[in-house]
Amino acid sequence: MAAARPLLLLLAALGPAGAVWPQPLRQLSPPAAGRCPLSPGLFRFSYASGSAVGPGCAVLDEAFQRYRALIFGAARSAESKQPWRKPCTELSVLVSTPGCDGFPSLNSNESYKLHISRDSLLLYADAVWGALRGLETFSQLVGRDENGTYYVNETEIVDSPRFPHRGLLLDTSRHYLPLKAILQTLDVMAYNKLNVFHWHIVDDPSFPYESFTFPELSKQGAFNAMTHVYTASDVQAVIEYARLRGIRVIAEFDTPGHTQSWGPGAPDLLTPCYLGKDPSGTYGPINPILNSTYQFVTSLFQEVGAVFPDYFLHLGGDEVDFTCWKSNPQIRAFMEEMGFGGDYTKLESFYIQRLLDIVSSLGKGYMVWQEVFDNRVKVRPDTIIHVWKNSPPYKEEMANVTKAGYRALLSAPWYLNRISYGQDWMAAYQVEPLDFTGSPEQKALVIGGEACMWGEYVDVTNLAPRLWPRAGAVAERLWSDATVRNLQDAYVRLASFRCELLRRGVQAQPLFVGYCDHEFDGF
Ligand SMILES: *[C@@H]1O[C@H](CO)[C@@H](O)[C@H](O)[C@H]1NC(C)=O
Ligand SMILES: *[C@@H]1O[C@H](CO)[C@@H](O)[C@H](O)[C@H]1NC(C)=O
Ligand SMILES: *[C@@H]1O[C@H](CO)[C@@H](O)[C@H](O)[C@H]1NC(C)=O
Ligand SMILES: *[C@@H]1O[C@H](CO)[C@@H](O)[C@H](O)[C@H]1NC(C)=O
Ligand SMILES: *[C@@H]1O[C@H](CO)[C@@H](O)[C@H](O)[C@H]1NC(C)=O
């Protein structure tokens, strides 16, 4: 007796080879498509003549190597004596805009065109970032016939993302994630065409970021200051690894709440809580009434703003608990002095307002969690409001945020740390980010979304299986056209893509009953 009723037709071989995840905008296959056999020994990627970038462009040079390895694995060139069709031995890449050394941004152009015929294999892109997406697509189109020969079917693909911000949040405070786990996650993000790594790097439980301005923060705030920290060179490694995959790194230093781990390394930063007339020995959120607090955050964000090259920093601002502030007599006196009455959201706003001004003056843009908007903090017009709450319904919040003219980023329905029995990727897949009441102008303010993997119950042992392929459901929702929502079709392609992830060495969990030709073999 099966434990669960199959929701969908079980497909023996788990879907067709060559189905691309996330689904491209347009794909035309000629009715009687021919195929190009590919030789592991002879096949190469090259820069087309006329391309604005050429050899020496690290983003593409390294991508060419990665994708050769991903497509052919360890396959050797033994059979290269065969008469391979010349045109099938080379995929030429033509990038029309120069630029290789920069960082991807919210405005990067990720569009590309892929032309696969027996006469030529061509990839066109506006920028290197689109070329990376096209190489990923090409790698997913390659199959093997019954004799083990690699080949790619003739096809034409025109592709570009629906939303420019397609993120994944990892939480390295509740559990420390080793550098290797972060780098592997970046690899799999690229396979899914996700383009923003939201690094929720510190929080209440631990402070693993090694600051050179304030080294005591991690010395005293990390789980282990030797082994459970991200050094400056670790952080640089993450940023460069991400850049080479067209992924932005947005660091989050959440304040004034979620800062317990900051306390030991930053005297007087946190608010002392009181029990009656005496300090209780415990601490609350950052103390918003001291000048020294603002000196501290200025110096810290000066550093963080320089270390992380993305224009945006994520400043948090969520879930501030007022209990401690209320207990503290100096804070109460300040409230009175400022005329805030008993409204502690005003005190929170007072802090956030000053923080935002500090970060603006550093030449950085910011993203904040929705409470900052809900509490009517005056934010800059280019602020991105990150919607995460489910009650009241997130659709209402998306409507309110965009009505006020701010750009919105959706995460509320995509807390993938939450799991349940069955195919819970489907709920994530069926979300429609623009399904809220609002004008076309409001809808245009939605820049995308992020899947979140909060770390209470997640460390390196279960990170990959919990993320993949479930985060792929979010990736397709954010990349593919709104009309791509058929669950049966998505199941077949996602199951097939998950098999491809196993082949690439990713410990991705199954969707349902079935098997893969290449099972996970990472022991
Ligand atoms: C190539 O096309 C054939 C015929 O449509 C299909 O059966 C096969 O799965 C395709 N292979 C790949 C790798 O796309
Ligand atoms: C990206 O580049 C392509 C090709 O040059 C162009 O057609 C498209 O409009 C660009 N998209 C954006 C968002 O700039
Ligand atoms: C596989 O090899 C057999 C024997 O050489 C040959 O007859 C058959 O056409 C090959 N299949 C393909 C798809 O090339
Ligand atoms: C804090 O700074 C303000 C403005 O610079 C100044 O007026 C005030 O006296 C300072 N407060 C303390 C306690 O130093
Ligand atoms: C959205 O705005 C309306 C009107 O101001 C308000 O009643 C409602 O509570 C807001 N919804 C959310 C989720 O904040």
Side-chain angles (χ1 to χ4, degrees), residues 171-403:
D171 169 5
T172 56
S173 173
R174 292 180 174 87
H175 283 97
Y176 177 79
L177 294 171
L179 184 61
K180 266 163 83 175
I182 295 176
L183 300 184
Q184 193 205 35
T185 303
L186 291 167
D187 277 322
V188 193
M189 285 176 68
Y191 305 160
N192 284 274
K193 299 189 171 73
L194 291 169
N195 67 353
V196 180
F197 169 38
H198 174 165
W199 194 350
H200 188 87
I201 190 165
V202 297
D203 202 301
D204 286 325
S206 78
F207 196 104
Y209 172 78
E210 247 183 40
S211 162
F212 45 85
T213 317
F214 299 106
E216 289 304 313
L217 288 171
S218 63
K219 276 202 183 120
Q220 304 205 40
F223 287 134
N224 180 311
M226 296 302 291
T227 55
H228 289 51
V229 285
Y230 302 105
T231 64
S233 81
D234 291 340
V235 170
Q236 286 313 311
V238 167
I239 292 169
E240 181 61 4
Y241 200 89
R243 185 185 83 86
L244 291 171
R245 286 154 184 77
I247 297 172
R248 302 160 58 200
V249 180
I250 296 184
E252 179 181 355
F253 286 77
D254 191 357
T255 67
H258 291 277
T259 48
Q260 286 294 302
S261 68
W262 305 36
D268 296 333
L269 179 65
L270 302 186
T271 309
C273 314
Y274 277 67
L275 203 59
K277 283 204 199 107
D278 303 308
S280 67
T282 62
Y283 293 87
I286 281 182
N287 190 337
I289 71 171
L290 301 181
N291 286 350
S292 56
T293 289
Y294 299 97
Q295 287 160 6
F296 173 89
V297 296
T298 302
S299 303
L300 181 68
F301 281 101
Q302 239 159 17
E303 170 181 331
V304 166
V307 165
F308 292 91
D310 201 86
Y311 174 62
F312 289 98
L313 285 172
H314 201 302
L315 301 178
D318 60 319
E319 295 183 312
V320 183
D321 181 357
F322 299 142
T323 322
C324 181
W325 280 350
K326 286 178 183 167
S327 77
N328 180 303
Q330 286 93 38
I331 301 255
R332 287 201 304 268
F334 184 81
M335 293 283 291
E336 198 149 312
E337 189 187 317
M338 298 297 289
F340 291 165
D343 186 354
Y344 283 80
T345 63
K346 288 193 173 142
L347 181 60
E348 178 187 352
S349 300
F350 170 82
Y351 167 81
I352 300 254
Q353 188 63 65
R354 290 187 67 172
L355 171 67
L356 298 187
D357 290 346
I358 289 166
V359 172
S360 294
S361 74
L362 298 172
K364 286 280 182 174
Y366 42 77
M367 304 169 46
V368 288
W369 295 109
Q370 72 177 72
E371 284 96 320
V372 174
F373 168 79
D374 296 344
N375 294 341
R376 298 190 172 76
V377 177
K378 196 169 122 276
V379 295
R380 253 181 13 195
D382 71 348
T383 303
I384 294 169
I385 309 293
H386 199 165
V387 174
W388 70 277
K389 290 187 173 189
N390 277 305
S391 87
Y394 71 82
K395 292 180 184 182
E396 218 176 285
E397 182 79 3
M398 294 293 280
N400 287 3
V401 166
T402 54
K403 188 151 198 198

